[in-house]
Short mmCIF file of all heavy atoms in Angstrom, two decimals:
data_model
loop_
_atom_site.label_atom_id
_atom_site.label_comp_id
_atom_site.label_asym_id
_atom_site.label_seq_id
_atom_site.Cartn_x
_atom_site.Cartn_y
_atom_site.Cartn_z
N MET A 1 76.38 74.71 107.76
CA MET A 1 76.87 73.94 106.64
C MET A 1 77.79 72.83 107.13
O MET A 1 77.70 71.70 106.66
CB MET A 1 77.59 74.85 105.66
CG MET A 1 78.10 74.11 104.45
SD MET A 1 78.67 75.17 103.14
CE MET A 1 80.30 75.52 103.69
N ILE A 2 78.66 73.12 108.06
CA ILE A 2 79.61 72.13 108.54
C ILE A 2 78.91 71.02 109.31
O ILE A 2 79.25 69.86 109.21
CB ILE A 2 80.71 72.79 109.39
CG1 ILE A 2 81.56 73.68 108.51
CG2 ILE A 2 81.56 71.75 110.09
CD1 ILE A 2 82.56 74.53 109.25
N ARG A 3 77.88 71.38 110.07
CA ARG A 3 77.15 70.38 110.83
C ARG A 3 76.39 69.42 109.93
O ARG A 3 76.25 68.26 110.21
CB ARG A 3 76.18 71.05 111.78
CG ARG A 3 76.86 71.75 112.91
CD ARG A 3 75.86 72.34 113.87
NE ARG A 3 76.51 73.37 114.64
CZ ARG A 3 76.06 74.60 114.80
NH1 ARG A 3 74.92 74.96 114.26
NH2 ARG A 3 76.71 75.47 115.52
N MET A 4 75.88 69.94 108.82
CA MET A 4 75.09 69.11 107.92
C MET A 4 75.96 68.19 107.08
O MET A 4 75.60 67.05 106.83
CB MET A 4 74.24 69.99 106.99
CG MET A 4 73.19 70.77 107.74
SD MET A 4 72.31 72.01 106.78
CE MET A 4 72.27 71.40 105.16
N ASN A 5 77.10 68.67 106.65
CA ASN A 5 77.96 67.91 105.73
C ASN A 5 79.42 68.20 106.08
O ASN A 5 79.87 69.32 105.83
CB ASN A 5 77.66 68.27 104.29
CG ASN A 5 78.34 67.36 103.32
OD1 ASN A 5 79.07 66.46 103.69
ND2 ASN A 5 78.11 67.57 102.05
N PRO A 6 80.17 67.25 106.61
CA PRO A 6 81.55 67.52 107.00
C PRO A 6 82.50 67.74 105.81
O PRO A 6 83.59 68.24 105.99
CB PRO A 6 81.93 66.28 107.79
CG PRO A 6 81.05 65.20 107.31
CD PRO A 6 79.78 65.87 106.90
N PHE A 7 82.08 67.38 104.60
CA PHE A 7 82.92 67.55 103.43
C PHE A 7 82.26 68.47 102.42
O PHE A 7 81.07 68.37 102.17
CB PHE A 7 83.20 66.20 102.76
CG PHE A 7 83.88 65.22 103.67
CD1 PHE A 7 83.15 64.22 104.28
CD2 PHE A 7 85.22 65.33 103.94
CE1 PHE A 7 83.74 63.30 105.14
CE2 PHE A 7 85.84 64.44 104.80
CZ PHE A 7 85.09 63.44 105.38
N VAL A 8 83.05 69.38 101.87
CA VAL A 8 82.53 70.30 100.87
C VAL A 8 83.36 70.15 99.61
O VAL A 8 84.59 70.21 99.66
CB VAL A 8 82.59 71.75 101.39
CG1 VAL A 8 82.11 72.72 100.32
CG2 VAL A 8 81.77 71.89 102.64
N PHE A 9 82.71 69.97 98.48
CA PHE A 9 83.40 69.83 97.20
C PHE A 9 83.36 71.18 96.49
O PHE A 9 82.30 71.73 96.24
CB PHE A 9 82.71 68.76 96.35
CG PHE A 9 83.31 68.60 94.99
CD1 PHE A 9 84.58 68.05 94.84
CD2 PHE A 9 82.63 69.01 93.87
CE1 PHE A 9 85.15 67.91 93.60
CE2 PHE A 9 83.21 68.87 92.62
CZ PHE A 9 84.45 68.32 92.48
N LEU A 10 84.55 71.72 96.18
CA LEU A 10 84.63 73.00 95.50
C LEU A 10 84.86 72.74 94.02
O LEU A 10 85.98 72.47 93.59
CB LEU A 10 85.79 73.83 96.07
CG LEU A 10 85.72 74.12 97.58
CD1 LEU A 10 86.96 74.83 98.04
CD2 LEU A 10 84.47 74.91 97.91
N SER A 11 83.82 72.84 93.26
CA SER A 11 83.88 72.56 91.83
C SER A 11 84.20 73.83 91.06
O SER A 11 83.37 74.72 90.92
CB SER A 11 82.54 72.00 91.35
OG SER A 11 82.57 71.82 89.96
N ARG A 12 85.43 73.92 90.59
CA ARG A 12 85.87 75.06 89.80
C ARG A 12 86.85 74.57 88.75
O ARG A 12 87.56 73.59 88.98
CB ARG A 12 86.55 76.09 90.69
CG ARG A 12 85.62 76.63 91.76
CD ARG A 12 86.21 77.81 92.39
NE ARG A 12 85.41 78.92 91.93
CZ ARG A 12 85.59 80.17 92.31
NH1 ARG A 12 86.51 80.46 93.14
NH2 ARG A 12 84.83 81.12 91.87
N PRO A 13 86.95 75.26 87.64
CA PRO A 13 87.94 74.86 86.61
C PRO A 13 89.36 74.96 87.13
O PRO A 13 89.64 75.66 88.11
CB PRO A 13 87.70 75.85 85.49
CG PRO A 13 86.37 76.45 85.74
CD PRO A 13 86.13 76.37 87.21
N ARG A 14 90.27 74.33 86.46
CA ARG A 14 91.68 74.40 86.82
C ARG A 14 92.15 75.84 86.79
O ARG A 14 91.72 76.62 85.95
CB ARG A 14 92.52 73.62 85.83
CG ARG A 14 92.40 72.13 85.98
CD ARG A 14 93.29 71.44 84.99
NE ARG A 14 94.63 72.04 85.02
CZ ARG A 14 95.61 71.69 84.23
NH1 ARG A 14 95.43 70.75 83.35
NH2 ARG A 14 96.78 72.25 84.33
N ARG A 15 93.02 76.17 87.72
CA ARG A 15 93.65 77.48 87.79
C ARG A 15 92.62 78.62 87.87
O ARG A 15 92.75 79.67 87.26
CB ARG A 15 94.58 77.71 86.60
CG ARG A 15 95.58 76.59 86.45
CD ARG A 15 96.55 76.78 85.32
NE ARG A 15 97.47 77.88 85.47
CZ ARG A 15 98.48 77.97 86.31
NH1 ARG A 15 98.72 76.97 87.13
NH2 ARG A 15 99.25 79.00 86.35
N PHE A 16 91.56 78.38 88.66
CA PHE A 16 90.47 79.36 88.72
C PHE A 16 90.20 79.81 90.16
O PHE A 16 89.07 80.05 90.53
CB PHE A 16 89.21 78.75 88.08
CG PHE A 16 88.19 79.77 87.66
CD1 PHE A 16 88.42 80.59 86.58
CD2 PHE A 16 87.02 79.93 88.37
CE1 PHE A 16 87.49 81.51 86.18
CE2 PHE A 16 86.09 80.85 87.99
CZ PHE A 16 86.32 81.65 86.89
N GLY A 17 91.21 79.87 90.98
CA GLY A 17 91.09 80.50 92.28
C GLY A 17 90.60 79.65 93.44
O GLY A 17 90.01 80.16 94.38
N LYS A 18 90.83 78.33 93.39
CA LYS A 18 90.42 77.49 94.53
C LYS A 18 91.21 77.86 95.80
O LYS A 18 90.64 77.95 96.88
CB LYS A 18 90.59 76.02 94.20
CG LYS A 18 89.57 75.49 93.20
CD LYS A 18 89.73 74.03 92.93
CE LYS A 18 90.94 73.66 92.16
NZ LYS A 18 91.03 74.05 90.78
N SER A 19 92.49 78.12 95.65
CA SER A 19 93.30 78.50 96.81
C SER A 19 92.86 79.86 97.35
O SER A 19 92.81 80.05 98.58
CB SER A 19 94.79 78.58 96.42
OG SER A 19 95.24 77.30 96.09
N LEU A 20 92.54 80.79 96.48
CA LEU A 20 92.06 82.10 96.92
C LEU A 20 90.74 81.97 97.66
O LEU A 20 90.53 82.59 98.71
CB LEU A 20 91.89 83.03 95.72
CG LEU A 20 91.33 84.42 96.02
CD1 LEU A 20 92.27 85.17 96.94
CD2 LEU A 20 91.13 85.17 94.73
N LEU A 21 89.85 81.13 97.16
CA LEU A 21 88.57 80.91 97.83
C LEU A 21 88.77 80.32 99.21
O LEU A 21 88.17 80.80 100.19
CB LEU A 21 87.69 79.99 96.99
CG LEU A 21 86.37 79.56 97.63
CD1 LEU A 21 85.47 80.77 97.83
CD2 LEU A 21 85.70 78.49 96.81
N THR A 22 89.59 79.30 99.33
CA THR A 22 89.79 78.66 100.65
C THR A 22 90.48 79.62 101.61
O THR A 22 90.15 79.64 102.79
CB THR A 22 90.58 77.35 100.53
OG1 THR A 22 91.81 77.59 99.86
CG2 THR A 22 89.80 76.30 99.78
N THR A 23 91.42 80.42 101.15
CA THR A 23 92.08 81.40 102.00
C THR A 23 91.09 82.45 102.48
O THR A 23 91.09 82.83 103.65
CB THR A 23 93.24 82.07 101.25
OG1 THR A 23 94.14 81.07 100.81
CG2 THR A 23 93.98 83.04 102.13
N THR A 24 90.22 82.90 101.57
CA THR A 24 89.20 83.88 101.94
C THR A 24 88.25 83.33 102.99
O THR A 24 87.93 84.00 103.97
CB THR A 24 88.40 84.32 100.69
OG1 THR A 24 89.30 84.83 99.71
CG2 THR A 24 87.38 85.38 101.03
N LEU A 25 87.81 82.09 102.80
CA LEU A 25 86.93 81.46 103.79
C LEU A 25 87.64 81.30 105.13
O LEU A 25 87.06 81.51 106.19
CB LEU A 25 86.45 80.10 103.29
CG LEU A 25 85.42 80.13 102.17
CD1 LEU A 25 85.18 78.71 101.65
CD2 LEU A 25 84.14 80.78 102.63
N CYS A 26 88.90 80.93 105.10
CA CYS A 26 89.68 80.78 106.32
C CYS A 26 89.75 82.10 107.09
O CYS A 26 89.48 82.14 108.29
CB CYS A 26 91.07 80.29 105.97
SG CYS A 26 92.14 80.01 107.39
N TYR A 27 90.08 83.20 106.38
CA TYR A 27 90.15 84.51 107.04
C TYR A 27 88.81 84.93 107.60
O TYR A 27 88.72 85.50 108.68
CB TYR A 27 90.66 85.59 106.08
CG TYR A 27 92.13 85.50 105.78
CD1 TYR A 27 92.62 85.86 104.54
CD2 TYR A 27 93.03 85.07 106.74
CE1 TYR A 27 93.96 85.79 104.26
CE2 TYR A 27 94.39 85.00 106.47
CZ TYR A 27 94.85 85.36 105.22
OH TYR A 27 96.18 85.31 104.95
N PHE A 28 87.73 84.64 106.85
CA PHE A 28 86.40 85.02 107.31
C PHE A 28 86.02 84.30 108.60
O PHE A 28 85.56 84.91 109.56
CB PHE A 28 85.35 84.73 106.22
CG PHE A 28 83.97 85.15 106.59
CD1 PHE A 28 83.59 86.48 106.55
CD2 PHE A 28 83.05 84.20 107.01
CE1 PHE A 28 82.32 86.87 106.90
CE2 PHE A 28 81.76 84.59 107.37
CZ PHE A 28 81.40 85.93 107.31
N PHE A 29 86.26 82.99 108.64
CA PHE A 29 85.88 82.23 109.83
C PHE A 29 86.86 82.38 110.99
O PHE A 29 86.55 82.05 112.12
CB PHE A 29 85.68 80.76 109.47
CG PHE A 29 84.39 80.54 108.71
CD1 PHE A 29 84.42 80.23 107.37
CD2 PHE A 29 83.18 80.68 109.34
CE1 PHE A 29 83.24 80.04 106.66
CE2 PHE A 29 81.99 80.50 108.64
CZ PHE A 29 82.04 80.18 107.31
N GLU A 30 88.05 82.92 110.71
CA GLU A 30 88.99 83.26 111.80
C GLU A 30 88.60 84.56 112.47
O GLU A 30 89.12 84.89 113.52
CB GLU A 30 90.41 83.38 111.26
CG GLU A 30 91.08 82.05 111.03
CD GLU A 30 92.49 82.23 110.46
OE1 GLU A 30 92.89 83.36 110.11
OE2 GLU A 30 93.20 81.21 110.41
N GLY A 31 87.70 85.32 111.84
CA GLY A 31 87.22 86.56 112.42
C GLY A 31 87.97 87.79 111.98
O GLY A 31 87.96 88.81 112.67
N ARG A 32 88.66 87.72 110.85
CA ARG A 32 89.42 88.87 110.33
C ARG A 32 88.47 89.87 109.69
O ARG A 32 88.43 90.08 108.49
CB ARG A 32 90.45 88.41 109.31
CG ARG A 32 91.50 87.46 109.83
CD ARG A 32 92.64 88.17 110.54
NE ARG A 32 93.16 89.29 109.83
CZ ARG A 32 94.19 89.23 108.97
NH1 ARG A 32 94.78 88.12 108.74
NH2 ARG A 32 94.60 90.32 108.36
N ARG A 33 87.64 90.53 110.52
CA ARG A 33 86.60 91.44 110.04
C ARG A 33 87.18 92.64 109.29
O ARG A 33 86.52 93.20 108.42
CB ARG A 33 85.74 91.92 111.19
CG ARG A 33 84.95 90.79 111.81
CD ARG A 33 84.06 91.34 112.93
NE ARG A 33 83.34 90.27 113.58
CZ ARG A 33 82.16 89.84 113.20
NH1 ARG A 33 81.59 90.37 112.17
NH2 ARG A 33 81.58 88.85 113.84
N ASP A 34 88.40 93.03 109.59
CA ASP A 34 89.00 94.18 108.93
C ASP A 34 89.14 93.96 107.42
O ASP A 34 89.07 94.92 106.63
CB ASP A 34 90.36 94.49 109.54
CG ASP A 34 91.34 93.32 109.48
OD1 ASP A 34 90.89 92.18 109.77
OD2 ASP A 34 92.51 93.55 109.17
N LEU A 35 89.29 92.72 106.99
CA LEU A 35 89.42 92.43 105.56
C LEU A 35 88.10 92.52 104.81
O LEU A 35 88.10 92.63 103.58
CB LEU A 35 90.00 91.01 105.39
CG LEU A 35 91.38 90.79 105.96
CD1 LEU A 35 91.77 89.32 105.82
CD2 LEU A 35 92.41 91.67 105.26
N PHE A 36 86.99 92.47 105.53
CA PHE A 36 85.68 92.41 104.88
C PHE A 36 84.82 93.64 105.14
O PHE A 36 83.66 93.66 104.76
CB PHE A 36 84.95 91.14 105.35
CG PHE A 36 85.70 89.88 105.04
CD1 PHE A 36 86.49 89.28 105.98
CD2 PHE A 36 85.61 89.31 103.78
CE1 PHE A 36 87.20 88.13 105.68
CE2 PHE A 36 86.31 88.17 103.48
CZ PHE A 36 87.11 87.58 104.43
N GLU A 37 85.40 94.67 105.77
CA GLU A 37 84.64 95.90 106.03
C GLU A 37 84.18 96.54 104.72
O GLU A 37 84.92 96.60 103.75
CB GLU A 37 85.50 96.89 106.79
CG GLU A 37 85.66 96.54 108.24
CD GLU A 37 86.47 97.58 108.98
OE1 GLU A 37 86.62 98.70 108.48
OE2 GLU A 37 86.97 97.23 110.07
N GLY A 38 82.91 96.95 104.71
CA GLY A 38 82.36 97.61 103.54
C GLY A 38 81.85 96.64 102.48
O GLY A 38 81.34 97.09 101.45
N LEU A 39 81.99 95.35 102.69
CA LEU A 39 81.52 94.38 101.72
C LEU A 39 80.14 93.82 102.14
O LEU A 39 79.78 93.86 103.29
CB LEU A 39 82.53 93.21 101.62
CG LEU A 39 83.91 93.58 101.16
CD1 LEU A 39 84.81 92.35 101.13
CD2 LEU A 39 83.88 94.23 99.78
N LYS A 40 79.44 93.33 101.17
CA LYS A 40 78.08 92.84 101.40
C LYS A 40 78.05 91.69 102.42
O LYS A 40 77.08 91.53 103.16
CB LYS A 40 77.48 92.38 100.09
CG LYS A 40 76.01 92.44 100.02
CD LYS A 40 75.52 92.24 98.63
CE LYS A 40 74.07 92.63 98.53
NZ LYS A 40 73.59 92.54 97.16
N VAL A 41 79.10 90.91 102.47
CA VAL A 41 79.14 89.75 103.36
C VAL A 41 79.04 90.17 104.83
O VAL A 41 78.58 89.41 105.67
CB VAL A 41 80.43 88.92 103.12
CG1 VAL A 41 81.66 89.65 103.59
CG2 VAL A 41 80.32 87.58 103.78
N MET A 42 79.38 91.40 105.15
CA MET A 42 79.33 91.87 106.53
C MET A 42 78.01 92.56 106.84
O MET A 42 77.80 93.02 107.95
CB MET A 42 80.47 92.86 106.79
CG MET A 42 81.85 92.20 106.72
SD MET A 42 82.05 90.83 107.81
CE MET A 42 82.02 91.61 109.39
N GLY A 43 77.08 92.58 105.87
CA GLY A 43 75.81 93.27 106.08
C GLY A 43 74.88 92.61 107.05
O GLY A 43 74.04 93.23 107.66
N GLY A 44 74.96 91.30 107.21
CA GLY A 44 74.11 90.60 108.14
C GLY A 44 72.73 90.24 107.58
O GLY A 44 71.91 89.72 108.29
N ASP A 45 72.47 90.54 106.32
CA ASP A 45 71.16 90.25 105.73
C ASP A 45 71.10 88.88 105.08
O ASP A 45 70.05 88.45 104.65
CB ASP A 45 70.81 91.30 104.67
CG ASP A 45 70.61 92.67 105.29
OD1 ASP A 45 70.32 92.73 106.50
OD2 ASP A 45 70.79 93.67 104.58
N ALA A 46 72.22 88.18 105.00
CA ALA A 46 72.26 86.89 104.31
C ALA A 46 71.64 85.81 105.18
O ALA A 46 71.80 85.79 106.40
CB ALA A 46 73.71 86.52 103.99
N PRO A 47 70.92 84.88 104.55
CA PRO A 47 70.36 83.77 105.33
C PRO A 47 71.46 82.82 105.77
O PRO A 47 72.49 82.68 105.14
CB PRO A 47 69.43 83.07 104.33
CG PRO A 47 69.95 83.47 103.00
CD PRO A 47 70.58 84.82 103.16
N VAL A 48 71.24 82.18 106.91
CA VAL A 48 72.25 81.26 107.46
C VAL A 48 72.04 79.88 106.92
O VAL A 48 71.01 79.36 106.79
CB VAL A 48 72.18 81.24 109.01
CG1 VAL A 48 73.16 80.25 109.56
CG2 VAL A 48 72.43 82.64 109.53
#
């Protein structure tokens, strides 16, 4: 996704968790696997 488009627009209503979303993405890409154990995102079945 980053290689294809360097900018990502997060379209969400006001006060609807944009900061939470960006923090979650940050932790995921930093490799904080302990926070995502047992969740579907760690299953490895998702397309890239």
Side-chain angles (χ1 to χ4, degrees):
M1 181 169 83
I2 293 172
R3 289 183 200 129
M4 293 171 32
N5 190 358
F7 301 101
V8 177
F9 178 70
L10 303 175
S11 176
R12 299 192 109 177
R14 286 181 48 183
R15 307 181 66 71
F16 200 72
K18 288 182 290 291
S19 294
L20 178 62
L21 174 66
T22 55
T23 303
T24 303
L25 288 173
C26 181
Y27 286 147
F28 183 77
F29 287 108
E30 282 179 350
R32 299 278 313 268
R33 295 182 183 271
D34 58 317
L35 298 174
F36 301 97
E37 284 182 18
L39 298 178
K40 206 169 194 176
V41 70
M42 294 304 292
D45 294 337
V48 177

